Amino acid sequence: MVLVLALGDLHIPHRAADLPAKFKSMLVPGKIQHVICTGNLCIKEVHDYLKTLCPDLHITRGEYDAETRYPETKTLTIGQFKLGLCHGHQVVPWGDLDSLAMLQRQLDVDILVTGHTHQFTAYKHEAGVVINPGSATGAYSSITYDVNPSFVLMDIDALRVVVYVYELIDGEVKVDKIDFKKTTTQNAN
Amino acid sequence: MAAGPIESAVVESCVVEGRRFGDLRGVQWRIDLGILPSSASSTIDDLRRVTANSRRGYASLRRQLLIDPHVPKDGSNSPDPVIDNPLSQNPDSMWGRFFRNAELEKMVDQDLSRLYPEHGSYFQTPGCQAMLRRILLLWCLRHPEYGYRQGMHEVLAPLLYVLQADMEHLSEVRNLYEDHFADKFDGFSFHENDLTYKFDFKKFSESTEDDKGSEKSPGRITSLSELDPKVQAVILFSDAYGAEGELGILLSEKFMEHDAYCMFDALMSGAGGAISMAQFFSPSPYGSSHTGYPPVIEASAALYHLLSLVDSSLHSHLVELGVEPQYFALRWFRVLFGREFALEDLLIIWDEIFACDNKKLEKPCENDADSSSGVLNSSRGAFISAFAVTMILHLRSSLLATENATKCLQRLLNFPEDINLGKLIAKAKSLQALAVDANNSAPVIDHTGVYGRSQPTVIRGHSHSVDLSSPKTPLGSVVPESYWEEKWRVLHKEEEIKQNNAEKQVPTRRNGWSEKVRMRLTRTESDPTSSIVDNGRKVPKSSVRRSLLKDLAQQLGADEDAEKLIDDENIEQEVPGDVVGQDNNDGNFTCTSEQSGSTGSAASEQNSSIFSDPPSPISDANDHGNRSERSSVASNFSANENDANDNSAEASCTNLEAPPLPSSDPPHGTSVKSEQSVDSGGKGPAGLKERKLLSGKFQWLWKFGRNGGEGTSEKGVCDSTKAVNCGINPDDPAVSSTVDISSNSGISKGESVDQNLMFSLRNLGHSMLENIQVIESVFQQDRGQVGTLENLSKNVLAGKGQVTAMAALKELRKISNLLSEM
């Protein structure tokens, strides 16, 4: 019953002023156990805000981040799942599933969370899951201007993860749910 | 039915013993609490059925309220993600409820982890803790108006313990009477070497009479009906094939949680009776009560009411000290004495409590149309309050011996371990009838009212009627303001006085006296150190105060008239010179010497302006002012007694901190005089005003005397006053400070007696210091004769200086006398 919040690409203050109000009202401290952020916050104030949601905060460096000391990639284990975190601008072509799968194998994780494209995607790939939480503020990207604010909340429970996707479409919060179960087969070494 | 006679025989024999299932507390309590039918004619079957129903109820409640958000509520449709996502703000969403439950659980866990550590081998096991947690959580969810309050877990724990004890008893019986517990369904027990034709029909017919399934192997064991009835009951309760099958087993480990929940629920909700424990946890007033007080406060007041009927001296003693009943009674009531006794003793007490009927008692209809008065209005409630009173009486000697409210509370809250419980219970039973009557007489819960009744005794002849209508809060909040404002004004006024030595004839008496008062205030404010700074001014001030006190003393016309007259003359000599520098004083003093009454009135008017918000008009309506002052004094008194206001408590703290000047014994003397004058009943309005001043001092004195005395504060007062009377008059710095301090202490009561003692001692020390400083200053003045404000009166000052020095010495002597007395 671990709740993990995954978000990124906020680009505050350069491209967006703040999270959408509806998102902010939902993100109250006390419910979420971990926060993972793909990067591009960009300033320290956003970091502090995320810290108030939950003290366990993991960030990887995006190309516009002011803080230069975030790592490029990060891995952590929550419950039975291994999570991998990377901003995604390092993986070329941006957003390409196969390249991301290479990164996943490289990090040896079950769930890989990347960003940079500002589009929500969630792929089930081989034995794992590749998730892109999109941009939480709806900031424009190098690829497109039409961005819906979105973020992802994962409910990790033993061998099962339920991915809730929150998107702000036309001013309304839309929630979608995706179920993933981890198969117990071991990866061939 | 063949089994009928046997059953009824079982039942009757049980009932005859008085307590139907004395050995099986779990069952007995369930009957007492109303879960199981208590009528003598209810059969075992009935008991089993009722038990089964209650267990079903709990099971469904559990299913309904305990939430696993992963499991969709209905198997078919999965919940809409928009509503049922973890971050949903929707209060109805599963996740929302899940998080709320999680919060409740956290609160409950905090308490559970500290539950009965001395019985940790049972209570701290994870299984037991899980059960307790679930029960509490479900009860709180079911009763959201109460929520979870600390203490509920202690109400629940003994219930669970008792069920566990029953289980252990059951296993003992099982060991003894193995054969009866054999798992037989239809009453047959076939040995393997039985051949049907050898079957003993006689024995078979016997066994069919008992359709509970208890079996006798041929010829070996006694029949069920021949067993001890209690054992029979145990066996029948645990029969897996009786009514309702396994669900009906009264003593069942599997359903301990269910049973405990039912008992807890019945206890908390009162099962339709008068007492429901839940009330003790609720902050809101009981439904049909007249007063707006929470039920715990009501019950505590009822407790004190009963105590006052039973033992009024102890009651008044406790009230004097300011020990309000709810300080200790809250814990007693909320946990039904769970924290005061060991678990085994507690079970015995609860046996008695539950044995009492919980039906609401009808008041004999007098004036009130709506009957239920108070929260303890049943025989069970009466027993509870009677038991609480018994506990207080048990501590009687140690409570009366201590003059310290904190110590009293400590004794009450740490009830001794070695007690004869039987005696306590017997005494409580004897008081129970009285308690019922007490409930019927509907004690008034009005805070001032409850304790107002005891006030006349405490005030000791203070003939003023306690004016309960005068609000305490304004008093408490006004005084600090005006006090500090006064100080500020005084400081600035001092500057003025320093600069312009002009002859200001007393514009009105009021001004003069206000100045005196202000000076008095500065005096009280300034430390002895500052007195060194203001040497010049100090002396006249002190003489002013002295004369003031002289006036007061005069009016109160006590035994020491001769002394006073002598001193009066002395002061009158000083007066003219003294007043020169302080022009206002001049006029006032002359007035004083002539008409002490009028000056006194002015003084007291000034004081009243400090004390009460509407300053009484000086010139006219003296009586009016007197009365208002009287009432304000009285309210001061009541405030003193009642220990109610936090405001005033804080104010008192600040006030007492700021004026370090002690109120020493002389004020005691004068206040005693005031008392006497009060008794003598009338020196006119002025006298009343003086009385007001002095009653303030009297309060202080009384408090002081209480501190010093051994339980008879009056005696202490008399003693200290006697000691003091000789030195009463030349009571210089102490006087005004006394007045202020007494006024402060009058206004603010919330001081613990300990603090008073500390303060009084400190004040004594300060007064001694001051006196010494006075003497020093006088000598300095004699030497220097420079730099004083009163340039005109240097020679007079010298003379006055000697007098003041003498006065100071006298005071020192007085103080030492008092200290030696203490």
Side-chain angles (χ1 to χ4, degrees):
Chain A
M1 267 305 312
V2 181
L3 291 180
V4 181
L5 175 70
L7 72 168
D9 289 319
L10 296 102
H11 287 280
I12 297 171
H14 309 123
R15 302 188 194 173
D18 199 0
L19 285 167
K22 294 206 171 167
F23 280 1
K24 263 203 141 154
S25 66
M26 284 205 294
L27 294 175
V28 291
K31 291 187 180 174
I32 301 169
Q33 275 84 45
H34 306 271
V35 174
I36 55 181
C37 185
T38 55
N40 272 346
L41 292 178
C42 305
I43 47 180
K44 187 170 187 306
E45 279 75 2
V46 184
H47 175 99
D48 294 337
Y49 165 72
L50 291 177
K51 266 280 191 183
T52 67
L53 290 185
C54 152
D56 191 29
L57 174 63
H58 305 271
I59 311 186
T60 50
R61 177 135 202 269
E63 73 267 43
Y64 289 100
D65 267 317
E67 171 68 53
T68 55
R69 280 174 299 187
Y70 295 141
E72 293 284 314
T73 62
K74 213 163 191 198
T75 54
L76 54 151
T77 307
I78 296 175
Q80 303 278 352
F81 286 93
K82 288 189 283 200
L83 283 88
L85 186 63
C86 174
H87 178 246
H89 67 275
Q90 305 94 332
V91 178
V92 176
W94 294 337
D96 181 49
L97 178 59
D98 292 322
S99 313
L100 289 174
M102 273 202 318
L103 179 63
Q104 185 183 17
R105 282 190 294 273
Q106 192 176 0
L107 295 175
D108 189 23
V109 289
D110 302 311
I111 304 174
L112 178 68
V113 181
T114 56
H116 186 60
T117 60
H118 297 210
Q119 299 284 342
F120 162 73
T121 56
Y123 297 117
K124 207 163 175 198
H125 182 81
E126 292 175 6
V129 169
V130 177
I131 298 179
N132 185 329
S135 162
T137 52
Y140 58 86
S141 78
S142 351
I143 311 173
T144 170
Y145 271 109
D146 184 16
V147 176
N148 283 324
S150 66
F151 67 91
V152 157
L153 183 73
M154 290 186 282
D155 177 13
I156 298 180
D157 189 24
L159 287 175
R160 186 182 120 169
V161 60
V162 181
V163 176
Y164 294 90
V165 182
Y166 295 79
E167 276 182 293
L168 192 71
I169 301 175
D170 295 333
E172 286 302 317
V173 177
K174 299 263 186 313
V175 187
D176 209 354
K177 197 164 95 160
I178 307 167
D179 249 310
F180 291 114
K181 269 206 176 55
K182 175 173 176 175
T183 55
T184 49
T185 57
Q186 296 297 319
N187 287 335
N189 277 354
Chain B
M1 173 165 75
I6 297 180
E7 252 187 36
S8 50
V10 168
V11 165
E12 278 162 20
S13 58
C14 285
V15 170
V16 158
E17 282 166 326
R19 298 288 294 285
R20 192 166 165 188
F21 302 105
D23 269 1
L24 301 173
R25 273 215 180 91
V27 182
Q28 184 61 45
W29 284 11
R30 271 183 275 175
I31 293 177
D32 287 334
L33 290 171
I35 304 170
L36 296 180
S38 56
S39 66
S41 60
S42 57
T43 64
I44 304 272
D45 262 358
D46 292 339
L47 296 178
R48 292 176 67 112
R49 282 198 198 97
V50 173
T51 311
N53 285 335
S54 62
R55 286 169 181 171
R56 281 195 199 100
Y58 176 70
S60 70
L61 183 71
R62 198 160 65 166
R63 222 176 298 130
Q64 186 190 8
L65 289 181
L66 282 186
I67 301 191
D68 182 8
H70 295 285
V71 177
K73 282 212 288 230
D74 318 314
S76 47
N77 46 343
S78 48
D80 181 13
V82 175
I83 301 184
D84 258 328
N85 59 77
L87 297 180
S88 158
Q89 313 286 72
N90 191 332
D92 287 334
S93 74
M94 240 177 16
W95 283 93
R97 301 222 310 271
F98 173 79
F99 282 118
R100 275 199 298 277
N101 289 1
E103 272 186 46
L104 254 183
E105 270 195 31
K106 219 162 47 162
M107 260 178 27
V108 171
D109 267 338
Q110 271 179 352
D111 281 340
L112 281 183
S113 57
R114 294 175 289 169
L115 174 68
Y116 277 127
E118 65 269 19
H119 298 277
S121 57
Y122 175 63
F123 286 109
Q124 296 292 330
T125 55
C128 178
Q129 291 255 310
M131 268 202 288
L132 292 170
R133 191 181 308 127
R134 268 199 301 274
I135 295 173
L136 288 169
L137 183 66
L138 288 175
W139 192 88
C140 295
L141 289 176
R142 193 82 164 70
H143 299 262
E145 67 271 15
Y146 294 113
Y148 175 74
R149 296 262 179 278
Q150 188 181 33
M152 290 182 179
H153 67 301
E154 299 217 8
V155 174
L156 173 61
L159 301 177
L160 200 59
Y161 185 79
V162 145
L163 289 171
Q164 177 69 26
D166 277 359
M167 290 307 305
E168 283 163 15
H169 182 77
L170 172 66
S171 60
E172 280 172 20
V173 172
R174 207 188 270 267
N175 286 337
L176 283 179
Y177 298 95
E178 286 177 34
D179 299 313
H180 290 284
F181 284 95
D183 189 22
K184 296 167 190 91
F185 176 53
D186 52 3
F188 282 108
S189 152
F190 294 111
H191 296 274
E192 285 174 354
N193 50 2
D194 262 352
L195 301 171
T196 31
Y197 68 86
K198 270 203 207 163
F199 193 59
D200 195 336
F201 280 97
K202 189 161 81 68
K203 291 201 182 90
F204 176 61
S205 60
E206 277 177 25
S207 70
T208 52
E209 284 177 358
D210 185 357
D211 64 349
K212 290 297 178 264
S214 79
E215 172 64 12
K216 338 173 270 267
S217 323
R220 263 187 291 154
I221 322 166
T222 54
S223 76
L224 184 65
S225 47
E226 289 165 28
L227 287 175
D228 181 30
K230 290 194 183 147
V231 177
Q232 278 181 30
V234 171
I235 294 174
L236 294 176
F237 283 154
S238 60
D239 176 24
Y241 302 112
E244 298 279 5
E246 203 166 346
L247 199 58
I249 300 179
L250 258 66
L251 309 170
S252 158
E253 192 142 13
K254 262 196 247 176
F255 298 111
M256 249 165 65
E257 192 179 329
H258 304 64
D259 294 336
Y261 177 83
C262 296
M263 288 171 76
F264 183 66
D265 194 26
L267 184 56
M268 291 294 274
S269 63
I275 290 231
S276 71
M277 293 295 301
Q279 287 168 30
F280 290 139
F281 289 98
S282 83
S284 58
Y286 183 47
S288 58
S289 79
H290 307 295
T291 71
Y293 288 95
V296 178
I297 312 284
E298 273 191 51
S300 315
L303 172 66
Y304 255 25
H305 179 66
L306 181 61
L307 180 63
S308 68
L309 293 178
V310 171
D311 185 347
S312 64
S313 61
L314 180 58
H315 175 250
S316 50
H317 175 77
L318 284 175
V319 169
E320 274 175 34
L321 291 184
V323 177
E324 297 220 354
Q326 55 263 23
Y327 293 159
F328 54 92
L330 185 93
R331 197 171 80 174
W332 288 5
F333 286 145
R334 276 200 177 174
V335 200
L336 266 190
F337 312 110
R339 290 246 115 229
E340 321 301 324
F341 298 99
L343 187 56
E344 286 70 27
D345 289 341
L346 183 69
L347 296 180
I348 301 175
I349 297 174
W350 280 24
D351 276 344
E352 297 296 328
I353 293 182
F354 295 152
C356 300
D357 183 46
N358 198 17
K359 246 180 16 202
K360 236 179 262 223
L361 295 176
E362 289 306 318
K363 243 181 24 167
C365 299
E366 306 155 352
N367 28 17
D368 293 303
D370 30 359
S371 54
S372 70
S373 77
V375 112
L376 292 177
N377 198 15
S378 75
S379 62
R380 187 177 292 174
F383 183 78
I384 291 177
S385 78
F387 192 79
V389 169
T390 313
M391 285 167 72
I392 302 180
L393 290 177
H394 181 79
L395 295 174
R396 183 173 199 274
S397 47
S398 50
L399 286 179
L400 281 177
T402 177
E403 290 298 334
N404 188 340
T406 318
K407 283 218 180 66
C408 275
L409 274 177
Q410 272 178 3
R411 293 230 170 73
L412 284 165
L413 289 172
N414 296 330
F415 204 71
E417 295 268 322
D418 50 346
I419 45 167
N420 186 341
L421 195 58
K423 270 206 267 183
L424 282 181
I425 292 182
K427 179 116 203 243
K429 283 198 174 134
S430 67
L431 290 177
Q432 191 178 355
L434 187 59
V436 172
D437 289 334
N439 278 338
N440 286 343
S441 68
V444 174
I445 304 298
D446 182 39
H447 260 302
T448 49
V450 168
Y451 307 120
R453 252 179 277 128
S454 64
Q455 275 185 1
T457 63
V458 168
I459 296 180
R460 262 177 253 109
H462 198 294
S463 54
H464 295 166
S465 60
V466 176
D467 185 351
L468 299 177
S469 60
S470 57
K472 288 186 290 242
T473 5
L475 214 51
S477 55
V478 160
V479 167
E481 271 185 52
S482 59
Y483 179 70
W484 291 109
E485 283 168 14
E486 288 273 11
K487 276 196 190 165
W488 183 87
R489 263 183 264 130
V490 172
L491 283 175
H492 284 254
K493 194 76 182 206
E494 281 178 13
E495 311 271 24
E496 278 183 42
I497 293 175
K498 245 185 190 166
Q499 281 148 20
N500 53 353
N501 225 357
E503 300 246 336
K504 308 175 250 169
Q505 279 308 317
V506 182
T508 58
R509 255 188 241 150
R510 177 177 208 163
N511 286 347
W513 279 99
S514 64
E515 200 181 35
K516 265 196 205 161
V517 164
R518 281 191 211 114
M519 288 194 316
R520 209 182 307 146
L521 283 174
T522 36
R523 181 69 174 137
T524 60
E525 167 194 14
S526 57
D527 274 332
T529 53
S530 61
S531 68
I532 298 173
V533 173
D534 289 359
N535 266 343
R537 213 176 306 132
K538 203 182 129 177
V539 174
K541 267 194 259 179
S542 56
S543 60
V544 166
R545 289 192 207 99
R546 231 180 310 137
S547 50
L548 261 181
L549 185 58
K550 287 249 49 86
D551 303 334
L552 302 180
Q554 277 176 357
Q555 286 166 32
L556 302 188
D559 313 332
E560 296 72 13
D561 269 337
E563 273 182 310
K564 268 191 294 183
L565 282 175
I566 295 172
D567 287 343
D568 274 345
E569 284 163 14
N570 288 342
I571 287 195
E572 277 172 20
Q573 284 168 18
E574 313 159 8
V575 160
D578 171 32
V579 175
V580 168
Q582 321 265 355
D583 304 306
N584 298 332
N585 304 342
D586 205 347
N588 286 330
F589 272 109
T590 49
C591 294
T592 305
S593 48
E594 296 159 358
Q595 272 277 347
S596 48
S598 47
T599 48
S601 64
S604 45
E605 277 164 3
Q606 277 306 308
N607 287 334
S608 73
S609 71
I610 302 175
F611 288 138
S612 59
D613 215 349
S616 49
I618 297 177
S619 49
D620 308 323
N622 266 352
D623 294 326
H624 237 298
N626 286 337
R627 242 156 256 134
S628 70
E629 286 158 10
R630 206 197 304 192
S631 64
S632 62
V633 169
S635 56
N636 282 347
F637 234 109
S638 58
N640 224 351
E641 297 299 328
N642 288 339
D643 194 30
N645 241 328
D646 286 342
N647 283 348
S648 36
E650 281 160 36
S652 74
C653 288
T654 55
N655 287 339
L656 279 172
E657 295 290 12
L661 294 186
S663 40
S664 55
D665 298 332
H668 297 333
T670 51
S671 44
V672 165
K673 284 186 191 137
S674 78
E675 183 188 35
Q676 293 166 358
S677 68
V678 168
D679 290 343
S680 62
K683 310 247 171 171
L688 293 179
K689 304 230 167 149
E690 303 301 357
R691 216 175 304 162
K692 177 195 181 259
L693 255 183
L694 292 169
S695 45
K697 288 186 213 143
F698 171 67
Q699 291 169 12
W700 198 96
L701 162 65
W702 168 70
K703 260 198 173 133
F704 190 84
R706 210 179 52 196
N707 291 343
E710 277 83 31
T712 55
S713 33
E714 283 206 42
K715 185 168 181 298
V717 166
C718 297
D719 285 346
S720 47
T721 52
K722 293 279 181 345
V724 157
N725 276 343
C726 46
I728 182 177
N729 299 323
D731 172 30
D732 39 328
V735 173
S736 50
S737 54
T738 304
V739 173
D740 291 278
I741 289 183
S742 56
S743 69
N744 293 336
S745 60
I747 291 162
S748 57
K749 6 56 183 188
E751 291 286 336
S752 70
V753 178
D754 234 351
Q755 262 187 337
N756 282 336
L757 188 55
M758 284 289 303
F759 276 123
S760 55
L761 284 176
R762 210 185 300 154
N763 290 339
L764 273 180
H766 284 304
S767 70
M768 290 178 68
L769 255 178
E770 279 178 12
N771 287 323
I772 295 170
Q773 280 158 359
V774 165
I775 299 172
E776 286 176 5
S777 71
V778 165
F779 287 138
Q780 280 181 17
Q781 269 195 340
D782 282 345
R783 257 182 265 130
Q785 295 218 352
V786 185
T788 61
L789 300 177
E790 306 74 16
N791 306 321
L792 307 172
S793 59
K794 274 180 201 155
N795 42 356
V796 181
L797 271 179
K800 189 179 53 147
Q802 284 173 11
V803 178
T804 46
M806 277 178 47
L809 281 171
K810 273 192 192 169
E811 175 134 23
L812 276 174
R813 210 172 294 139
K814 230 174 16 190
I815 292 169
S816 62
N817 284 342
L818 183 70
L819 278 177
S820 62
E821 253 202 338
M822 285 175 60

